[in-house]
Amino acid sequence: MNENYVERFSQRRPPPGDFHPQPNRQLGPRLELNVRIREYVKGIPILANAPSYVFQREIPTSDEISVPECEEAYEVPPNKVVGPWESKRKYLSDHYALLREDAVTPLRNVVSELKAEPHILEQDSAENAYVYEKVFVVGLTFAHSGVAAKVTFSLRRSGKKIIWEQSKRLLQGTLIALTPAHDMFKTVCKVGVVAARPLVGLNFNPPEIDIFFGGPDEIEVDPQQEWVMVESSTGYFEAYRHTLASLQKLAMEPFPLAEYIVGIERDIQPPWYLKQQPFKDLSSLNPNAGNEYSHVDILNGQWPVEPLSDLDASQSEALRRILEKELAIIQGPPGTGKTHVSVIALKVLLQNKLPHDPPIIVAAHTNHALDQLLRHIASIEPEFIRLGSMTLDKEFIEPRTLFEVKQATRLGPVPGGLKGPAMGNMRKLIKEMQELLKPLTEGTPFSEDVFQAYGILTNEQCRLLLNGAERWVDLTLAETETAAISKWAGDELVQADRRTMPEDFGFDYEEMDLEFEQLKELEAEGKINSDDEHEGLRGDRIVFNEPWTGSERSGKSKDKLESLLRLKDLWQVPAGTRGPLYRYMQQQVKEALVKKMRLLVKEYDKHAKDLKIGKWEVDTNFLRSSNIIGCTTTGLSKYRGLLQSLKPKIVLIEEAAETLEAYVTAACFDTLEHLILVGDHQQLRGHCNEKELEGKPWFLDVSMFERLVRNQVGFTQLIRQRRMHPEIRRGLMPIYPSLEDHPSVLAREPVPGMGDVRTFFFHHQWPEDTDELMSKINRTEAVTIVGFFNYLIMNGLKPKEITVLTFYNGQRKLILTGLRSHPNLQGEIFKVVTVDSYQGEENGVVLLSLVRSNQYNNVGFLSVANRVCVALSRAQRGFYIFGNARNLCKESLLWFKVVDAMRHNPRRVGFQLPLTCQKHGITMVVKGKIGMPKFYSSIAADITADPDGFNNDAGGCDKDCHDDLPCGHAYFPTTRSSATSPAFESSNAATHAPKSATSTANVPAIVGDETNQSAHQSMSNLHTTLLTQSRTRDTPAKTPRGFPTKTLTISPISLVDTSPTAQGFRDFAAGGYIQADEAAIEAAAKERLRRLDEENEALLFGNDHPDVDTVLTSGTNKLKLTGTRQAADGTVRNTYEGFFTIPKAGESSSKQGPSLLD
């Protein structure tokens, strides 16, 4: 999704930045009761033949998480992605099973690992476990959404200090499992979710959070019970929870559009409402047109002949499909304006919306994408309402969130609504639970009255116990009534000391493993409801305080203790046995207490559900007056009951191809008549927790959008892109062969410092590595990109105009560290992100770090076509790739085609990157040490330069510059080797002196004055055309941690005589450079680049070594000669197809893989 689409498609429409929210409309004093909400939330009567999954609770059970080792693995049904499903029931059942498996598998794997290795540390976990020990329940919060337990915990097993603001640990909505510390999941497993993670509580020592147990029958309130709590770092349950519940509801409801979604019907009909009234007003498409647009029968093909707004032909076709078909699928390759078409379609739909028609629902996969979409929609409908309050757009979107709209308009209660009665009932239950739990909060031993109340002691036993206590002369009457049990137990009553202690292990801080945007996206999805503006839960609280228990003694069996309890007079119990007996009685009280508590919590949860209904009954009065309601695809499920109560007819989903199928299925409300899916299945797919489920036969990551397109259900593809310069777009030809360029992209400005080179694949063979989080990194490649980034900045780009993309989070962090540590880039904000988090985004210049380079040609994520598509399509002006092109060409047919496209007209791939100084127009190259195979040794012999030819004060240019500094003083380079790039006076490599009206060329040189001597040399033009010697920094910049320090080398391009005699003659006769010299320099540079192109061709695609034919066609290398071609130097090179054996180091195996070497 593109924030700048207005600029591209229209000059008439005001940009989103000009939008200002309108005052909220005041609703009338009369509110209506919408009974459809109660019907939805409380559930339709269960059908007699309802599928079993309908009865499963939202939070997984312990049986799903802690599976006995002897039990057979649960068989997950396959996903049918080709052809029609046999029935609606089968479709819903299998998708529920697949989604549920993906939701619970990460935690199940963690629990299994802890069973096998109870004392495992996080750093040793193969299942990405987060383990918290010494967990204690320290209180309860009676929130509107349920009763939450507050727990404290220890981070000892993490081995790190946690920066909670940047951590994805224990996010709200995360699935967790608890087990008693002595059990370690052998027999007990309690499942729950994180209810809240207020930062103030997490920063306590020990930290604390709130959790919801899986159900009322699992809640625990014993403050002396020690637990171990675990979560998986790879799964996030909240994103699944509401969609699973929606599939359960849908099993008992009508399923609109099932003939297409389930039955793969290809003849798509018009929406029912369009059949009823086919005449539509299309005047918004062309305000200057006459009546031809005002009354159009769109079902009978009476479309106007005049151009539709500013749409191109494919966009006009897509608009017609959206308006005419009840299931409209629009594929929009990168930059083709699919969001623009969506907004134009919404404009037409709004123009024809009748007063009593329900709101149109729009959704996007992420909160960020939703905000972008709503910014565009604001230009045609300012009074939209956004469900969910987690928006970063505080100026335009936040005022239109449902929460803010309600805050601005205070209304009375809904007549007959459930909100008031539910809150009243909950308050009564809170008081009852507080009284019940009082023994756990008073900080004293349990009294005999508590034991009597729970049937542990009889009335006679309590009387005798009290009589015995009265004989203690040191007690007053009041003390006797409360301390009888204490005097009876005596020294056998001890401090429990069962709590999480403050700790400081001296750990290093944990690295942030998520990008900021990804973290905020997860936090947004975890919010309980749109009213929850606080990090913590709101509601009454109680704090447990039970410091006492009885001493432990061996040999005191349960039968023995029960026999002692049958004594009429407990004073007859031996003193040494009173501690164990008190502990036993205490435990009996807690067991009885928690049984009562669970019954009360069950009743409380019923009223909490009524309160949810009551709040939605209020919300529906705000929403029904809105024309457009926006939410995320997760929100479609989370607020499904609220949205269904509005009887929506039209739903539009952006990024539909990036959304798992079940999320879109949940949008099939029982009144739905028109579903619009906009996306691109050739870009990113949906994310699965369990990667195995992405493969055959489950294909869980295949979206409904992609499945329908591949089953030839009708769709329209947009074909004209408005983002990328044609040189960049050609890299997408293997993916989108029919993609065309809009004329506007021809006017994209060139990249400063790169001449006419808009794209380049910088090939190297620097080896990859792995960081401590097992993410792939390439340190040398990172250094190169940091240096190139600085070079672009010094030639005129701003940091915000450059995005660095990579497929690996470890490399992202490494590059970001390097940029932040660079002396020339201090205080700047950088955009360094992973490819997966950058779909829908774009920037002027993109640098792509591919990372992978190894002897086994393993390319990992780089082989995933959808990710490659996103990576190649984000840049507008310049796109520069850094990686091992040979590995990619061997392992990936797609990458072979991409590289092949980049090496023709003009050739933009090689191991020497051409740079052109923005000020002087001088072209030079930066070489990479490649280390080619043996049979290329003659070509690679002179390739010895290190990659950091950018890391110098000149930013790649060695010529002196005499521009004035920003302070108004004249520039004087301190030394020849630290000459500053002329485009960037901000470098620290120069001294300065007061600016004079007299030219500095007339200043006499002073012997011993290096500054003036250098200035004199500069002004007398005693310098070569290009430096022919290598040079190194006098004082290397501080190298970021983890970055190698290398000697930099810049190679010249010069065929001009630079001897002192010749240079002196030029200076004297011509006053410096003459035009002929400049022409010669340009010709020499072109010749040198031509030679470099041929070297690149030979290294990447050629086979001019006499032994190559033998190597490629011998033994197990199943290659055959398929053709020849003539290179620029006249040599003939062969082309092969087949398999090439790549043996691993130290092995003689004959693993075969496709060879794509040309």
Side-chain angles (χ1 to χ4, degrees):
M1 199 172 303
N2 186 341
E3 293 187 6
N4 302 316
Y5 89 102
V6 172
E7 167 201 346
R8 297 185 187 155
F9 295 102
S10 176
Q11 299 297 323
R12 298 188 298 271
R13 188 178 296 107
D18 292 343
F19 159 66
H20 296 285
Q22 301 296 318
N24 290 303
R25 283 182 272 186
Q26 297 295 321
L27 298 176
R30 176 179 171 78
L31 300 181
E32 295 181 5
L33 176 65
N34 191 332
V35 295
R36 280 175 58 87
I37 297 175
R38 299 185 190 184
E39 294 172 356
Y40 182 90
V41 176
K42 292 194 172 183
I44 305 170
I46 301 297
L47 303 178
N49 62 343
S52 60
Y53 73 88
V54 170
F55 302 96
Q56 287 190 270
R57 72 180 192 184
E58 286 187 15
I59 299 177
T61 64
S62 60
D63 291 339
E64 291 180 84
I65 299 298
S66 182
V67 180
E69 296 181 5
C70 60
E71 188 171 317
E72 294 185 4
Y74 170 68
E75 184 175 349
V76 182
N79 184 13
K80 188 175 180 60
V81 294
V82 178
W85 285 78
E86 63 182 60
S87 66
K88 163 195 164 182
R89 181 189 181 108
K90 177 68 172 173
Y91 170 85
L92 292 174
S93 176
D94 286 2
H95 272 283
Y96 181 91
L98 283 166
L99 199 66
R100 183 105 177 170
E101 182 68 13
D102 196 39
V104 304
T105 296
L107 186 61
R108 181 193 298 144
N109 292 341
V110 167
V111 169
S112 297
E113 184 178 50
L114 265 289
K115 278 184 180 180
E117 300 180 70
H119 305 291
I120 193 172
L121 300 178
E122 288 184 5
Q123 65 186 21
D124 301 323
S125 171
E127 300 294 344
N128 303 296
Y130 288 154
V131 186
Y132 312 98
E133 59 185 17
K134 296 189 180 301
V135 178
F136 291 96
V137 179
V138 297
L140 297 178
T141 301
F142 303 104
H144 287 174
S145 48
V147 178
K150 185 175 291 296
V151 299
T152 59
F153 54 90
S154 167
L155 292 166
R156 184 189 69 85
R157 295 207 202 184
S158 71
K160 298 288 184 181
K161 291 181 180 178
I162 310 301
I163 304 177
W164 290 102
E165 294 86 345
Q166 301 177 359
S167 177
K168 65 178 181 180
R169 290 172 177 266
L170 298 173
L171 289 175
Q172 191 169 330
T174 296
L175 195 65
I176 57 172
L178 298 98
T179 185
H182 65 272
D183 183 79
M184 292 308 295
F185 296 109
K186 289 182 177 62
T187 61
V188 179
C189 175
K190 301 280 186 178
V191 185
V193 295
V194 177
R197 65 182 311 255
L199 290 177
V200 63
L202 289 170
N203 289 322
F204 287 156
N205 189 1
E208 60 183 35
I209 60 166
D210 293 294
I211 65 172
F212 288 129
F213 284 95
D217 57 337
E218 293 186 14
I219 193 168
E220 296 289 345
V221 295
D222 186 353
Q224 294 185 7
Q225 174 64 60
E226 180 181 350
W227 302 85
V228 171
M229 180 171 66
V230 297
E231 64 167 322
S232 171
S233 66
T234 58
Y236 187 56
F237 178 68
E238 187 70 15
Y240 293 81
R241 177 179 182 177
H242 304 287
T243 303
L244 289 168
S246 296
L247 293 179
Q248 290 174 311
K249 293 288 186 181
L250 196 54
M252 300 177 289
E253 297 174 354
F255 191 169
L257 308 181
E259 61 269 31
Y260 312 111
I261 297 172
V262 178
I264 309 297
E265 173 63 50
R266 295 182 176 91
D267 182 18
I268 304 177
Q269 297 297 311
W272 175 253
Y273 70 84
L274 185 59
K275 292 179 180 179
Q276 302 296 100
Q277 174 52 271
F279 290 92
K280 299 299 176 185
D281 184 358
L282 305 181
S283 59
S284 62
L285 299 177
N286 192 342
N288 299 322
N291 295 330
E292 183 182 6
Y293 279 78
S294 61
H295 196 65
V296 179
D297 184 355
I298 64 176
L299 283 187
N300 295 317
Q302 298 179 6
W303 281 78
V305 295
E306 294 292 327
L308 296 177
S309 186
D310 49 7
L311 304 178
D312 61 40
S314 64
Q315 290 174 330
S316 296
E317 182 184 346
L319 177 63
R320 290 192 63 171
R321 177 172 291 276
I322 290 176
L323 297 179
E324 293 179 356
K325 302 298 183 181
E326 59 182 340
L327 175 60
I329 303 175
I330 308 301
Q331 183 196 2
T336 53
K338 50 185 175 291
T339 301
H340 177 68
V341 175
S342 297
V343 175
I344 293 294
L346 287 171
K347 188 175 183 179
V348 174
L349 292 172
L350 288 174
Q351 187 176 20
N352 291 274
K353 183 175 179 290
L354 299 177
H356 298 292
D357 282 346
I360 297 173
I361 311 299
V362 300
H365 182 60
T366 64
N367 281 277
H368 175 65
L370 175 63
D371 288 346
Q372 285 186 335
L373 176 61
L374 292 177
R375 285 290 300 273
H376 301 322
I377 289 174
S379 63
I380 61 172
E381 175 51 53
E383 294 193 351
F384 62 85
I385 291 183
R386 186 197 196 279
L387 296 180
S389 56
M390 286 298 289
T391 173
L392 297 179
D393 189 335
K394 303 300 181 183
E395 183 178 2
F396 300 112
I397 305 301
E398 187 176 68
R400 297 306 308 167
T401 61
L402 178 59
F403 177 82
E404 293 294 335
V405 171
K406 289 195 299 183
Q407 290 295 105
T409 307
R410 296 294 183 180
L411 299 177
V414 176
L418 292 181
K419 182 178 179 181
M423 293 191 69
N425 291 327
M426 291 169 73
R427 281 193 290 267
K428 294 178 182 178
L429 286 170
I430 290 172
K431 292 181 179 178
E432 193 171 344
M433 286 186 283
Q434 287 174 332
E435 183 66 27
L436 176 68
L437 298 173
K438 188 175 290 184
L440 302 178
T441 64
E442 294 179 328
T444 59
F446 289 177
S447 69
E448 58 275 12
D449 291 337
V450 171
F451 293 124
Q452 183 179 359
Y454 285 96
I456 310 300
L457 296 180
T458 65
N459 183 55
E460 180 66 14
Q461 285 175 315
C462 289
R463 185 183 66 80
L464 294 176
L465 195 64
L466 187 60
N467 290 339
E470 291 175 353
R471 295 195 292 268
W472 291 85
V473 295
D474 57 334
L475 294 181
T476 65
L477 180 60
E479 290 173 330
T480 301
E481 293 176 351
T482 60
I485 200 73
S486 300
K487 286 303 177 182
W488 170 80
D491 294 339
E492 291 294 297
L493 204 60
V494 298
Q495 288 278 350
D497 199 24
R498 305 290 287 174
R499 59 191 179 93
T500 315
M501 301 298 293
E503 54 195 13
D504 183 5
F505 298 113
F507 294 148
D508 293 331
Y509 282 103
E510 181 182 51
E511 288 191 42
M512 183 179 178
D513 195 36
L514 276 184
E515 299 170 46
F516 177 79
E517 293 82 0
Q518 292 174 319
L519 181 63
K520 292 303 175 185
E521 187 66 34
L522 291 178
E523 289 179 344
E525 297 301 341
K527 286 291 181 183
I528 295 173
N529 54 62
S530 58
D531 289 351
D532 188 11
E533 288 294 288
H534 304 280
E535 292 178 323
L537 292 177
R538 292 177 292 181
D540 294 345
R541 304 174 186 272
I542 62 171
V543 178
F544 292 143
N545 182 16
E546 190 201 13
W548 300 99
T549 189
S551 61
E552 289 187 278
R553 293 282 190 275
S554 60
K556 306 299 181 184
S557 66
K558 179 180 178 181
D559 292 339
K560 176 67 173 178
L561 295 175
E562 287 183 346
S563 65
L564 291 174
L565 266 180
R566 288 193 288 270
L567 293 174
K568 182 180 293 187
D569 187 356
L570 293 183
W571 288 100
Q572 297 177 7
V573 175
T577 309
R578 293 177 184 179
L581 183 58
Y582 177 86
R583 178 185 288 267
Y584 177 76
M585 292 192 298
Q586 182 186 36
Q587 192 60 38
Q588 293 294 102
V589 168
K590 290 180 181 179
E591 290 177 3
L593 184 149
V594 77
K595 286 181 181 179
K596 289 188 176 181
M597 182 67 185
R598 288 170 178 173
L599 293 174
L600 293 175
V601 170
K602 187 175 183 179
E603 187 69 20
Y604 188 90
D605 284 350
K606 291 180 181 179
H607 295 303
K609 183 179 289 187
D610 287 346
L611 179 59
K612 177 181 179 180
I613 294 172
K615 288 181 177 181
W616 279 1
E617 288 170 344
V618 175
D619 293 344
T620 189
N621 286 278
F622 290 89
L623 296 177
R624 62 185 170 86
S625 63
S626 176
N627 287 324
I628 289 183
I629 299 171
C631 63
T632 63
T633 49
T634 302
L636 288 172
S637 298
K638 182 181 290 188
Y639 307 108
R640 191 171 188 272
L642 175 61
L643 293 173
Q644 184 149 299
S645 72
L646 301 172
K647 300 182 179 180
K649 296 180 180 178
I650 304 173
V651 174
L652 183 149
I653 301 178
E654 283 262 356
E655 296 181 334
E658 195 182 350
T659 305
L660 296 181
E661 176 151 356
Y663 291 75
V664 179
T665 303
C668 293
F669 305 107
D670 57 4
T671 56
L672 182 68
E673 298 179 14
H674 193 178
L675 179 62
I676 306 164
L677 304 180
V678 182
D680 183 10
H681 60 283
Q682 292 178 276
Q683 297 187 57
L684 291 184
R685 284 178 165 179
H687 171 75
C688 299
N689 292 331
E690 185 65 17
K691 295 304 177 185
E692 186 179 358
L693 292 177
E694 295 179 356
K696 186 178 180 179
W698 300 290
F699 304 109
L700 183 57
D701 62 336
V702 175
S703 63
M704 178 189 293
F705 184 105
E706 180 176 359
R707 182 174 65 86
L708 295 178
V709 167
R710 296 197 183 280
N711 279 276
Q712 301 178 359
V713 175
F715 72 101
T716 297
Q717 183 187 46
L718 307 180
I719 62 172
R720 179 168 288 190
Q721 68 91 16
R722 294 164 167 83
R723 173 183 298 165
M724 299 161 280
H725 187 274
E727 186 177 319
I728 302 172
R729 188 265 309 148
R730 68 175 179 163
L732 288 170
M733 290 175 60
I735 304 174
Y736 305 104
S738 61
L739 192 61
E740 301 173 357
D741 299 317
H742 189 271
S744 62
V745 300
L746 299 175
R748 294 289 187 196
E749 295 182 1
V751 179
M754 296 306 296
D756 64 346
V757 180
R758 291 183 178 271
T759 61
F760 200 86
F761 195 133
F762 183 75
H763 168 63
H764 66 76
Q765 285 191 341
W766 304 317
E768 67 188 46
D769 200 355
T770 304
D771 69 6
E772 61 181 8
L773 296 175
M774 303 308 293
S775 179
K776 296 298 181 183
I777 59 174
N778 193 311
R779 301 180 190 277
T780 313
E781 185 176 286
V783 171
T784 305
I785 290 174
V786 170
F788 185 49
F789 190 105
N790 179 56
Y791 169 79
L792 295 176
I793 296 299
M794 296 187 73
N795 275 273
L797 282 177
K798 298 177 182 178
K800 67 179 182 180
E801 297 176 300
I802 307 173
T803 294
V804 182
L805 287 180
T806 181
F807 290 84
Y808 294 92
N809 197 43
Q811 185 78 346
R812 179 191 69 84
K813 292 186 287 186
L814 192 62
I815 294 172
L816 192 57
T817 299
L819 291 171
R820 288 171 175 170
S821 303
H822 197 288
N824 289 348
L825 303 173
Q826 297 300 303
E828 300 288 355
I829 298 176
F830 308 104
K831 192 70 173 178
V832 184
V833 296
T834 57
V835 172
D836 284 5
S837 66
Y838 207 61
Q839 175 151 322
E841 304 293 334
E842 62 182 30
N843 208 344
V845 177
V846 173
L847 315 182
L848 177 61
S849 175
L850 298 180
V851 180
R852 302 309 297 270
S853 180
N854 54 75
Q855 60 180 321
Y856 309 115
N857 299 319
N858 187 348
V859 297
F861 290 146
L862 276 62
S863 63
V864 180
N866 303 75
R867 287 187 167 106
V868 175
C869 179
V870 174
L872 297 178
S873 59
R874 303 300 102 193
Q876 300 168 332
R877 301 166 56 188
F879 181 46
Y880 306 97
I881 308 174
F882 298 79
N884 189 323
R886 289 178 60 83
N887 278 13
L888 289 170
C889 288
K890 288 179 181 179
E891 289 298 306
S892 169
L893 178 60
L894 174 59
W895 273 109
F896 177 87
K897 292 179 179 179
V898 170
V899 174
D900 187 58
M902 294 182 69
R903 68 187 181 99
H904 293 107
N905 302 320
R907 183 173 294 138
R908 293 292 188 244
V909 58
F911 56 88
Q912 304 193 58
L913 178 62
L915 310 176
T916 302
C917 178
Q918 183 71 7
K919 180 64 178 287
H920 301 116
I922 297 173
T923 301
M924 60 197 66
V925 297
V926 174
K927 298 181 180 180
K929 185 182 295 181
I930 298 186
M932 301 303 292
K934 181 179 180 180
F935 45 82
Y936 287 122
S937 59
S938 60
I939 299 175
D942 65 332
I943 304 172
T944 56
D946 285 325
D948 47 349
F950 306 107
N951 285 350
N952 60 84
D953 294 326
C957 178
D958 288 303
K959 189 172 180 181
D960 291 336
C961 175
H962 311 289
D963 289 351
D964 294 334
L965 296 171
C967 57
H969 296 147
Y971 171 92
F972 291 99
T974 56
T975 63
R976 186 69 181 164
S977 65
S978 60
T980 308
S981 173
F984 287 86
E985 299 84 0
S986 60
S987 174
N988 297 323
T991 61
H992 65 275
K995 186 176 181 180
S996 171
T998 305
S999 172
T1000 55
N1002 298 324
V1003 178
I1006 302 174
V1007 177
D1009 187 334
E1010 294 182 359
T1011 302
N1012 282 303
Q1013 183 72 19
S1014 178
H1016 179 73
Q1017 288 180 333
S1018 298
M1019 301 312 298
S1020 63
N1021 292 319
L1022 293 177
H1023 56 268
T1024 59
T1025 302
L1026 286 174
L1027 294 180
T1028 56
Q1029 73 277 13
S1030 300
R1031 65 186 184 85
T1032 58
R1033 290 178 57 104
D1034 294 331
T1035 306
K1038 183 179 180 181
T1039 304
R1041 182 181 179 185
F1043 276 62
T1045 304
K1046 291 185 176 290
T1047 304
L1048 59 96
T1049 306
I1050 294 184
S1051 301
I1053 306 173
S1054 178
L1055 297 180
V1056 182
D1057 187 353
T1058 59
S1059 66
T1061 302
Q1063 187 63 53
F1065 176 79
R1066 287 192 183 88
D1067 291 337
F1068 176 79
Y1073 296 117
I1074 59 176
Q1075 187 172 2
D1077 288 335
E1078 294 176 351
I1081 294 168
E1082 183 178 358
K1086 289 182 179 179
E1087 173 64 18
R1088 175 62 172 152
L1089 290 176
R1090 187 189 68 79
R1091 293 177 183 176
L1092 291 176
D1093 283 344
E1094 291 189 0
E1095 292 177 6
N1096 294 338
E1097 176 82 8
L1099 283 167
L1100 295 174
F1101 300 98
N1103 62 317
D1104 48 356
H1105 189 278
D1107 295 332
V1108 172
D1109 293 346
T1110 303
V1111 171
L1112 295 180
T1113 57
S1114 64
T1116 58
N1117 299 325
K1118 311 288 186 182
L1119 296 180
K1120 64 178 181 178
L1121 182 66
T1122 59
T1124 61
R1125 72 175 187 281
Q1126 189 170 6
D1129 59 1
T1131 59
V1132 176
R1133 294 166 181 166
N1134 296 335
T1135 303
Y1136 296 89
E1137 287 183 357
F1139 290 89
F1140 180 68
T1141 302
I1142 307 168
K1144 296 184 179 181
E1147 294 182 3
S1148 59
S1149 63
S1150 57
K1151 174 189 174 183
Q1152 292 186 350
S1155 173
L1156 302 170
L1157 285 174
D1158 180 2

